[in-house]
């Protein structure tokens, strides 16, 4: 966990939510009131966000006492109690919504990722996330993918060169784009992997002629063309399939022999896992 990044996220989220005070709690609950609450699972799935929740409670009020019963990555079922928290009721109520929002979102992503990973069992293919994340939540959403058994792709625009169709078109072709990327890395003394997206077998042939990349993304290929592409690449480069891949067809894509499959659906349209924080 990147503590500095997480603390900045928590600070921003609390500022957005609390403003100049939780006036409902301040007006209805006497100062100094102590209480307890338990986090209850209301839907089966894979748990994620416990470690983040502990940081949220700590930032809100370091005097809150939290006892954890189930850890990140565990399978959970309806009625399971993940943790209990005790201390200032005002602090518990401030932390409540942020803890639930994060854990529900992360657990939904981890659950979806786990389901996909299970479908790839017995193949060499691993599942990747994408940059199709919620602005401001990318770190925790990609964290949830890892908890669910997936693999993170690049974090952002800064940690990998990924030459996509628009880059190729603007650069004037595949060879020009690849050569320009190498020159850029040399000029700026950077060491980054280079991946290039191809849209068809003709573009793949051009990439193989030029070389100079670490990974080839095969975008929106039919199964027949994907198998042909993997055979043509012949393990000279890492392969990644993308575009139109769902939980229903992911196993068919993996059967084509690619190293990775990237799925934006892991993060951009996932359903949160239901849970609640209840006083007791």
């Amino acid at each position: 966990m990147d503590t500095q990044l997480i603390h900045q996220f928590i600070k921003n989220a609390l500022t957005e939510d609390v403003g100049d005070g939780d006036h409902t709690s301040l007006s209805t609950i006497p100062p100094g009131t102590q209480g307890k609450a338990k986090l209850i699972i209301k839907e089966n799935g894979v748990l994620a966000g416990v470690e983040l929740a502990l940081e949220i409670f700590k930032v809100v009020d370091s005097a809150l006492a939290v006892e954890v019963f189930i850890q990140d990555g565990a399978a959970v079922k309806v009625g399971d109690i993940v943790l209990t928290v005790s201390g200032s009721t005002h602090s518990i109520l401030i932390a409540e919504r942020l803890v639930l929002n994060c854990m529900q979102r992360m657990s939904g992503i981890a659950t979806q990722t786990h389901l996909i990973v299970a479908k790839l069992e017995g193949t060499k293919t691993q599942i990747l996330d994408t940059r199709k994340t919620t602005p401001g939540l990318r770190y925790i959403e990609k964290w949830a993918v890892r908890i669910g058994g997936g693999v993170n792709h690049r974090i952002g625009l800064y940690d990998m060169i990924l030459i996509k169709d628009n880059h190729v078109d603007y650069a004037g072709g595949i060879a020009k784009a690849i050569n320009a990327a190498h020159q850029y890395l040399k000029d700026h003394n950077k060491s980054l992997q280079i991946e290039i997206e191809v849209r068809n077998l003709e573009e793949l042939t051009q990439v193989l002629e030029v070389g100079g990349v670490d990974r080839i993304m095969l975008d929106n290929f039919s199964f027949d063309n994907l198998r042909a592409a993997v055979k043509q690449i012949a393990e000279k480069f890492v392969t990644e399939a993308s575009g139109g891949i769902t939980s229903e067809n992911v196993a068919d894509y993996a059967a084509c022999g690619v190293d990775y499959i990237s799925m934006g659906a892991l993060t951009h349209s996932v359903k949160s896992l239901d849970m609640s924080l209840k006083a007791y």
Side-chain angles (χ1 to χ4, degrees):
M1 179 175 63
D2 185 329
T3 304
Q4 182 177 354
L5 190 153
I6 286 299
H7 281 196
Q8 185 61 53
F9 163 74
I10 295 171
K11 178 182 176 181
N12 291 343
L14 290 173
T15 298
E16 176 184 64
D17 196 31
V18 179
D20 68 346
D22 173 8
H23 300 302
T24 306
S25 297
L26 291 170
S27 66
T28 59
I29 303 172
T33 301
Q34 302 290 295
K36 297 179 180 180
K38 53 187 176 182
L39 196 149
I40 307 168
I41 296 296
K42 300 173 71 176
E43 187 176 4
N44 296 350
V46 174
L47 184 66
V50 174
E51 191 176 352
L52 175 57
L54 292 175
E55 289 300 314
I56 293 171
F57 285 126
K58 186 187 302 182
V59 170
V60 169
D61 183 350
S62 60
L64 289 174
V66 184
E67 186 174 5
V68 176
F69 305 109
I70 307 175
Q71 300 291 341
D72 285 331
V76 290
K77 63 184 185 301
V78 176
D80 282 347
I81 297 174
V82 175
L83 58 82
T84 59
V85 56
S86 58
S88 163
T89 56
H90 290 85
S91 297
I92 292 172
L93 290 168
I94 285 174
E96 175 189 5
R97 181 44 53 197
L98 182 55
V99 165
L100 287 173
N101 284 350
C102 291
M103 290 192 64
Q104 287 177 310
R105 178 72 179 165
M106 290 182 70
S107 296
I109 291 170
T111 299
Q112 174 69 7
T113 303
H114 179 75
L115 291 173
I116 299 297
V117 169
K119 292 188 176 187
L120 301 183
E121 190 173 349
T123 74
K124 71 171 185 176
T125 307
Q126 293 181 289
I127 195 70
L128 295 172
D129 53 26
T130 70
R131 284 172 54 238
K132 295 176 182 178
T133 54
T134 310
L137 299 183
R138 181 173 297 173
Y139 182 86
I140 69 170
E141 289 181 348
K142 284 180 170 280
W143 186 2
V145 168
R146 295 197 305 274
I147 292 172
V151 178
N152 291 152
H153 206 307
R154 57 177 178 161
I155 301 301
L157 295 171
Y158 60 88
D159 61 333
M160 185 181 196
I161 288 181
L162 175 43
I163 305 170
K164 303 196 79 175
D165 52 358
N166 282 339
H167 301 103
V168 169
D169 293 340
Y170 285 139
I174 286 172
K176 287 183 178 180
I178 293 174
N179 291 333
H182 278 283
Q183 188 62 49
Y184 176 89
L185 292 176
K186 180 179 179 182
D187 293 344
H188 292 82
N189 193 31
K190 287 187 172 294
S191 178
L192 298 174
Q193 284 202 335
I194 297 176
E195 179 174 6
I196 188 164
E197 176 188 84
V198 297
R199 293 165 281 194
N200 50 58
L201 292 173
E202 181 182 347
E203 288 189 344
L204 174 59
T205 298
Q206 292 178 49
V207 170
L208 295 177
E209 289 173 351
V210 177
V213 299
D214 299 286
R215 186 185 301 181
I216 299 175
M217 179 187 290
L218 305 155
D219 189 50
N220 284 300
F221 274 51
S222 67
F223 294 130
D224 287 342
N225 284 347
L226 189 58
R227 283 188 288 268
V230 169
K231 183 177 181 180
Q232 189 175 351
I233 293 167
E235 299 187 350
K236 296 184 181 74
F237 303 99
V238 175
T239 55
E240 175 185 337
S242 69
I245 303 174
T246 67
S247 60
E248 287 73 30
N249 62 25
V250 67
D252 295 324
Y253 277 94
C256 294
V258 291
D259 298 302
Y260 293 106
I261 289 172
S262 53
M263 289 182 63
L266 294 181
T267 53
H268 71 54
S269 57
V270 73
K271 177 187 176 296
S272 294
L273 196 74
D274 197 11
M275 57 187 72
S276 62
L277 190 69
K278 294 294 185 183
Y280 72 101

